[in-house]
Amino acid sequence: MPQMKCMSNKFVKALAAFTVLMASCTNTQQKAVTGDSIISKPVPGSAIHYDSSKRYIFLTWDDSPQPPGTINCKKIFREENVKATFFSVGFNVVGPQKKRIIDSLLKDYPQFLVANHSFSHGFKDNYKKFYALPDSAYNDFIKNEKELGIGVKIIRLPGRNTWASNGKLSGQESKGPLVKKLDSSGYKIIGWDIEWAQHSKMKAPKQSAVEMAAEVNRKLEDGNTVEQNAIVILSHDRLFEKTQFADSLRKFISILKQDPRNVFETIDHYPLVQRK
């Protein structure tokens, strides 16, 4: 009996040790998986290495979500395997479908980045009032950041081509109190080098894909951009609602991809944003 009791105790101890070991292995595996997922998914705003032989193209689309335009643009960017930034407006996030669009863009980093274009789009395009009330305008950006869960301090002013970073301010409204307040709070304000504008008579892009690509190349070759070897392109999701105009966007990207120097990036990797 004492011998059996001794064997029983040894078995219980061995079983306990085995259980602890298995639990440890499981926890290690879970940590490894969790760790790998964290390591493998880049954090918005992380620095990249610039290649001086390349030309960096920043596609920045304003006023999302605006389905079906936003959905079409996202689909084309994904199929063409290019990165893009959506400057989003909280006021436009009405209903579950639009909320899902924003959530999907947030989850799709590093291919897509969501940045801040104010909650109300400048008090519903009342720009004069918006910029005359800097504290209210500032809070409008803060509200948009919180409502949409925007994880980067990157802003585009509604209706203004303005640049600001670390006290260096330029462009429209750059001397105004709102720009100074945003800049001193650590926000980067991004304007644009070239706009794929809206047609004056309909919801459509003004320039053809060929014309737009030629403009981009000309500006880069002439060095007529805010940052060397980098160009910020502005357009709006709504311009690409119809199939014919969505096809124009795809053609534009295809033309640019033919030049091996061209690299598509999100705006958190723009030199002005990365510069400390």
Side-chain angles (χ1 to χ4, degrees):
M1 291 290 292
Q3 186 176 3
M4 289 183 64
K5 185 176 181 180
C6 179
M7 289 177 65
S8 176
N9 287 340
K10 287 181 179 179
F11 176 76
V12 170
K13 288 180 180 179
L15 181 61
F18 178 75
T19 302
V20 170
L21 177 62
M22 290 301 295
S24 175
C25 290
T26 301
N27 289 337
T28 301
Q29 289 173 348
Q30 288 174 343
K31 288 177 182 177
V33 170
T34 304
D36 287 346
S37 65
I38 292 172
I39 292 170
S40 63
K41 189 170 180 60
V43 177
S46 55
I48 64 168
H49 171 72
Y50 289 100
D51 183 342
S52 60
S53 68
K54 300 295 184 182
R55 310 190 310 180
Y56 291 85
I57 295 175
F58 297 87
L59 301 172
T60 63
W61 262 226
D62 283 8
D63 299 349
S64 55
Q66 291 186 323
T70 307
I71 296 170
N72 290 345
C73 293
K74 178 184 172 184
K75 180 175 183 289
I76 290 167
F77 294 150
R78 178 178 284 120
E79 290 175 351
E80 294 295 329
N81 194 28
V82 298
K83 296 182 179 182
T85 300
F86 291 85
F87 279 94
S88 300
V89 175
F91 182 79
N92 287 340
V93 185
V94 180
Q97 182 202 15
K98 292 184 177 181
K99 180 64 167 60
R100 286 195 299 270
I101 292 172
I102 290 295
D103 288 345
S104 71
L105 291 172
L106 288 166
K107 291 175 183 176
D108 278 347
Y109 186 83
Q111 183 163 21
F112 303 133
L113 179 75
V114 175
N116 198 334
H117 197 37
S118 81
F119 182 83
S120 66
H121 201 274
F123 301 159
K124 301 180 184 178
D125 299 343
N126 190 344
Y127 302 141
K128 184 176 181 180
K129 182 180 179 181
F130 187 76
Y131 293 107
L133 299 172
D135 290 338
S136 297
Y138 179 86
N139 290 332
D140 198 63
F141 284 109
I142 300 303
K143 179 179 181 179
N144 199 47
E145 184 178 292
K146 292 178 179 178
E147 291 276 338
L148 299 188
I150 297 171
V152 291
K153 299 182 77 170
I154 303 173
I155 280 172
R156 172 166 287 150
L157 298 183
R160 298 291 184 271
N161 189 357
T162 309
W163 304 81
S165 174
N166 302 326
K168 295 181 179 179
L169 319 175
S170 62
Q172 297 170 299
E173 296 291 337
S174 61
K175 305 303 180 185
L178 173 61
V179 172
K180 293 178 180 178
K181 185 176 180 68
L182 289 167
D183 177 67
S184 64
S185 299
Y187 287 90
K188 311 286 187 176
I189 301 177
I190 299 295
W192 58 91
D193 294 300
I194 186 173
E195 180 180 2
W196 200 347
Q198 182 168 333
H199 197 284
S200 60
K201 296 182 180 179
M202 57 181 173
K203 193 188 295 183
K206 181 179 179 180
Q207 306 98 314
S208 70
V210 173
E211 289 170 338
M212 191 65 189
E215 256 186 272
V216 169
N217 282 319
R218 185 163 51 251
K219 274 189 169 286
L220 285 167
E221 293 300 328
D222 292 345
N224 188 19
T225 54
V226 171
E227 295 279 355
Q228 185 177 4
N229 295 333
I231 187 166
V232 179
I233 302 169
L234 160 69
S235 195
H236 294 80
D237 305 20
R238 61 180 174 271
L239 304 189
F240 305 97
E241 290 181 1
K242 295 183 178 179
T243 301
Q244 66 191 95
F245 304 129
D247 289 343
S248 184
L249 173 59
R250 190 186 297 276
K251 183 176 181 179
F252 169 66
I253 293 171
S254 297
I255 294 171
L256 293 180
K257 285 172 68 176
Q258 291 173 13
D259 191 326
R261 295 175 297 171
N262 291 339
V263 177
F264 293 85
E265 267 298 346
T266 46
I267 204 66
D268 56 327
H269 294 144
Y270 187 67
L272 178 146
V273 174
Q274 295 207 355
R275 199 172 294 125
K276 303 299 182 183

